[in-house]
Amino acid sequence: GRRVTVRDLAAAKERREKWPMLTAYDAMTARVFDEAGVPVLLVGDSAAMVVYGYDSTVPVTVDDLLPLTAGVVRGSSRALVVADLPFGSYQASPAQALESAARFLKEAGAHAVKLEGGRRVLPQVEALVSAGVPVMGHLGLTPQSVNVFGGYRVQGRGESGEELMKDAKDLERAGAFALVLECVPAELAERVTTSLSIPTIGIGAGPATDAQVLVWQDLMGLTPRPARFVKRYGDLAADLDRAARAFAADVVSGAFPAQEHTYR
Ligand code: KIV
Ligand code: NA
């Protein structure tokens, strides 16, 4: 079978079909999510936190994310793979954005890129789209701007909701193929979703968006204190803890390796 394309996602919106997106940062999880039928995998700059251990997404670089992206592309065969452009790799100019995006497409095999922001990145979105790079937008809580927001909190309440709506329409007009809405009131996300012809992807944006995305470690119970918008579908932290303790105990006691694990 072939890869999912941005045209498939546009068609899904016309049919009012909802779809899931998950983050992925390595080949093995990408393969599992791909075989489970998840049509879009995002190599998020959330890797800064869940892979590299930073306390925000700000420090991660293109060089940090390229090998993770390449692994996700190699591990998957059906999903559209979207690479997050990290902080500082696109804001300076459309030329800088194109240089960074081209590395993700050429060196890692990504199929699209995502960048954060509204009116201030429209020239970047236009330059990428006209160069042939599909662009996913990201509005609301844009974690690369945490130092301006002064923390992680709901965005787009009150009058700033109209600003967000305008940014959303501008991103669509600039050629974005989809739009992530993070931590915004459900009513606003619904209005944006019905006002745009491109799909919206919610995270903490209520039930009306065309798609939903979660960071897989949040979904699987690896994150100690997940946000309100996370639903847990697994308890991997407990599973890994149990397995590590059992392995350690078996090694100490000599119960592992047994006959069946041993070459004669
Ligand atoms: O980096 C990331 O994981 C993201 C998603 C949460 C949308 O940007
Ligand atoms: Na991100």
Side-chain angles (χ1 to χ4, degrees):
R2 60 166 182 83
R3 292 262 183 190
V4 171
T5 69
V6 296
R7 292 188 55 189
D8 296 324
L9 302 178
K13 174 141 186 164
E14 297 221 327
R15 294 195 299 266
R16 295 185 155 78
E17 281 173 19
K18 297 195 179 203
W19 45 273
M21 178 163 95
L22 276 178
T23 64
Y25 313 94
D26 67 88
M28 295 189 95
T29 53
R31 170 153 299 153
V32 171
F33 301 155
D34 192 68
E35 288 182 356
V38 176
V40 185
L41 296 176
L42 171 68
V43 187
D45 64 351
S46 49
M49 297 154 99
V50 300
V51 175
Y52 289 108
Y54 295 115
D55 62 8
S56 84
T57 61
V58 171
V60 83
T61 66
V62 171
D63 286 326
D64 290 331
L65 295 180
L66 276 174
L68 310 188
T69 307
V72 169
V73 171
R74 292 185 203 111
S76 60
S77 59
R78 290 265 303 131
L80 178 84
V81 177
V82 181
D84 236 351
L85 295 184
F87 176 69
S89 74
Y90 61 93
Q91 289 92 343
S93 66
Q96 187 202 26
L98 183 54
E99 205 171 294
S100 300
R103 292 194 67 195
F104 281 102
L105 270 64
K106 295 172 67 147
E107 297 175 39
H111 311 109
V113 300
K114 178 166 81 58
L115 48 72
E116 296 184 2
R119 60 209 71 178
R120 62 194 166 82
V121 295
L122 294 178
Q124 282 84 339
V125 174
E126 285 168 2
L128 291 170
V129 172
S130 64
V133 181
V135 177
M136 179 178 284
H138 186 158
L139 294 173
L141 199 179
T142 46
Q144 293 175 13
S145 301
V146 62
N147 294 307
V148 172
F149 294 146
Y152 300 97
R153 53 176 61 88
V154 176
Q155 302 294 316
R157 284 200 170 123
E159 286 182 6
S160 67
E162 298 320 306
E163 300 286 295
L164 189 149
M165 175 65 85
K166 183 177 178 303
D167 281 339
K169 289 179 173 166
D170 285 348
L171 284 166
E172 172 170 86
R173 204 172 301 120
F177 74 92
L179 175 61
V180 170
L181 297 172
E182 178 163 353
C183 280
V184 301
E187 303 72 31
L188 176 63
E190 179 166 12
R191 280 204 295 126
V192 171
T193 299
T194 53
S195 302
L196 297 190
S197 58
I198 58 172
T200 58
I201 306 158
I203 174 164
T209 52
D210 300 297
Q212 296 286 334
V213 59
L214 286 174
V215 169
W216 82 256
Q217 288 87 347
D218 290 346
L219 172 101
M220 295 299 184
L222 273 172
T223 310
R225 286 170 307 283
R228 171 192 170 94
F229 59 73
V230 172
K231 179 176 176 182
R232 260 183 44 179
Y233 291 84
D235 198 356
L236 268 192
D239 288 349
L240 291 171
D241 178 77
R242 204 178 303 110
R245 287 173 192 276
F247 174 62
D250 278 358
V251 169
V252 170
S253 73
F256 177 84
Q259 285 269 35
E260 66 266 32
H261 312 117
T262 304
Y263 299 107
R264 292 273 162 235

